[in-house]
Amino acid sequence: MSAASGVDPMTGEVVDPLPVTLPDIRAAALAKVPAAVRDFLEGGAGDESTLHRNTEGFARWDLLPRVMSGRTPPSTATEFMGLPLDLPLLTAPFGADALFHPEGQTAVARANASAGVRSIVPEAGSFSLEEVAAAAPAAIGLAQLHPMGPPENFALMLARIERAGYRGVCVTVDCPTGGWRERMMRTPLDFEDRIIAANYAEPGALDHQEVFGQLFDHTETSVWDWELLAGLMDRSPLPWMAKGILTVDDAERAIAAGASAVLVSNHGGRQLDGAPTALEQLPDIAEAVGSRAQIALDSGIRRGADIVKALALGADVVVLGRLAVYGLTAAGEAGVRQVHRLLHDEIRTILTLLGRGGVRELRRDAVRRARW
Ligand SMILES: Cc1cc2nc3c(=O)[nH]c(=O)nc-3n(C[C@H](O)[C@H](O)[C@H](O)COP(=O)(O)O)c2cc1C
């Protein structure tokens, strides 16, 4: 991968040098946005205890070196839901993406294409599923849907996803309503126009409030359950992943409903404060269902070491949430490319020090619960 550059790859213009570490990319991103956007991005639900544990939890696992293994250079390549990946990751569906950069998910998709990884494109995005697919066909991965609003709308969206060439669907099952986010009560954001509604912008389409009503109105009821979802997904030829699984029971229900992958996630601490971290739940879920479904993990990934630990504990890939948003906010496409480059180089360094020949060789014996 190319080194950090001070030239915008799209325009050829000389731009500020890119931050050279992931924490610096986060700092640059947070310095650029207004307080309300920062709170929307950084905030979690309730007291944010789950949010904080998400990042702190990775330090509770040690990495166990294996020296003199003669296993270099290691490979970062893998496969997930039939998609070849040069890095063991996909980027998360984060909605309202134009709040962070005017090119939003189209810039993320282009960066993903150049790094050999794929996007999960959000339903509540600032660009339609078709626009993101057209921006970087090589990054087409999964399209994300909320089981929310009228089931007919979900069926229409599925048909659009198939037509646009997506390779699978990511169904966010942990959002029957929006989380209790106090930062957003203090500094509310106005989600008008296309910010979260590009998929609902055409004449004749449903109003996005009709679809996402439950997210905004905590008193609205939902008709959605596994049976309704399974009935709709059965009609699609695409494989699907259930996003937002935290227990073995729910992983079993998702697989019984037809999911071929589960994304172990607490939604970046944004939904249920007090929920366990994805990392804590991962080993049990991987042991119970890992032979029947592929496993992804998100919530708290901030550097390559976190990815290595998640893979050693049973994940096949990780999903980058805020880390991808930081890159996008700091420097658009070039910022997300920089995130990928740094993750690639850090993962390779760690694999070498662990004496493992590639990410696919990571097993439980590469980690140990910290004893300090
Ligand atoms: C700004 C922002 C917007 C998000 N929007 C969505 C969304 O529309 N749909 C969804 O399923 N998840 C959404 N998420 C959750 C992410 O997909 C992912 O689960 C989470 O960010 C992972 O945690 P992390 O940020 O700690 O890595 C959003 C997250 C952020 C930070």
Side-chain angles (χ1 to χ4, degrees):
M1 279 187 200
S2 68
S5 127
V7 176
D8 184 315
M10 298 301 289
T11 63
E13 280 170 31
V14 176
V15 291
D16 288 343
L18 294 167
V20 295
T21 70
L22 293 168
D24 295 344
I25 291 176
R26 173 172 182 254
L30 297 183
K32 267 181 113 163
V33 289
V37 173
R38 200 162 58 234
D39 282 340
F40 171 58
L41 170 59
E42 290 291 88
D47 284 327
E48 303 189 335
S49 62
T50 295
L51 173 79
H52 293 301
R53 277 159 45 201
N54 279 351
T55 42
E56 288 158 10
F58 285 91
R60 295 186 174 217
W61 289 94
D62 292 338
L63 290 166
L64 295 176
R66 183 190 283 163
V67 298
M68 300 298 290
S69 70
R71 313 287 315 271
T72 60
S75 163
T76 57
T78 192
E79 168 277 333
F80 187 71
M81 292 182 75
L83 301 166
L85 300 169
D86 289 346
L87 288 168
L89 61 90
L90 300 111
T91 54
F94 57 90
D97 36 303
L99 289 175
F100 307 110
H101 188 276
E103 292 168 15
Q105 289 283 352
T106 62
V108 176
R110 287 195 303 269
N112 286 350
S114 68
V117 298
R118 309 281 177 140
S119 304
I120 309 178
V121 178
E123 179 178 14
S126 312
F127 294 86
S128 70
L129 298 159
E130 293 84 358
E131 286 169 325
V132 182
I140 295 180
L142 311 184
Q144 176 264 335
L145 288 181
H146 290 282
M148 225 176 238
E152 310 80 73
N153 177 65
F154 191 96
L156 285 173
M157 289 299 295
L158 269 182
R160 276 174 65 182
I161 288 167
E162 288 160 24
R163 268 200 308 277
Y166 283 87
R167 308 282 293 274
V169 185
C170 167
V171 184
T172 299
V173 292
D174 63 357
C175 256
T177 187
W180 190 255
R181 300 189 198 162
E182 294 185 347
R183 290 204 220 189
M184 293 193 68
M185 296 176 194
R186 290 194 201 102
T187 48
L189 267 175
D190 195 3
F191 292 116
E192 11 169 271
D193 302 332
R194 285 173 61 97
I195 292 288
I196 61 163
N199 281 308
Y200 297 96
E202 306 111 66
L206 283 184
D207 182 88
H208 73 274
Q209 295 278 1
E210 268 178 75
V211 182
F212 302 133
Q214 293 160 237
L215 274 185
F216 303 115
D217 180 351
H218 292 250
T219 62
E220 255 199 45
T221 51
S222 170
V223 296
W224 285 87
D225 60 13
W226 288 114
E227 203 185 334
L228 176 55
L229 178 60
L232 287 159
M233 293 310 304
D234 274 354
R235 295 191 224 151
S236 171
L238 293 176
W240 63 280
M241 168 166 79
K243 174 178 188 287
I245 296 294
L246 282 175
T247 65
V248 170
D249 279 355
D250 273 349
E252 292 287 4
R253 287 187 193 103
I255 294 167
S260 55
V262 293
L263 172 45
V264 183
S265 163
N266 60 29
H267 212 106
R270 299 162 80 80
Q271 284 299 99
L272 178 64
D273 195 35
T277 67
L279 193 70
E280 282 168 272
Q281 299 303 91
L282 173 66
D284 285 352
I285 295 174
E287 192 180 303
V289 305
S291 60
R292 287 173 285 143
Q294 283 195 295
I295 303 215
L297 174 134
D298 76 20
S299 302
I301 299 282
R302 297 293 179 271
R303 58 165 56 260
D306 300 341
I307 297 177
V308 170
K309 289 176 186 180
L311 300 184
L313 287 168
D316 295 296
V317 289
V318 301
V319 172
L320 299 186
R322 292 182 183 83
L323 202 46
V325 186
Y326 299 148
L328 175 68
T329 309
E333 178 187 343
V336 182
R337 285 161 82 129
Q338 178 77 332
V339 168
H340 291 326
R341 189 184 71 80
L342 291 167
L343 287 176
H344 171 265
D345 292 357
E346 186 187 343
I347 291 171
R348 291 238 305 195
T349 303
I350 291 172
L351 288 174
T352 304
L353 295 170
L354 290 179
R356 272 29 178 219
V359 291
R360 299 190 72 144
E361 287 179 27
L362 284 165
R363 300 283 178 276
R364 182 69 182 254
D365 61 2
V367 292
R368 184 193 71 173
R369 257 182 215 287
R371 295 183 186 160
W372 48 278

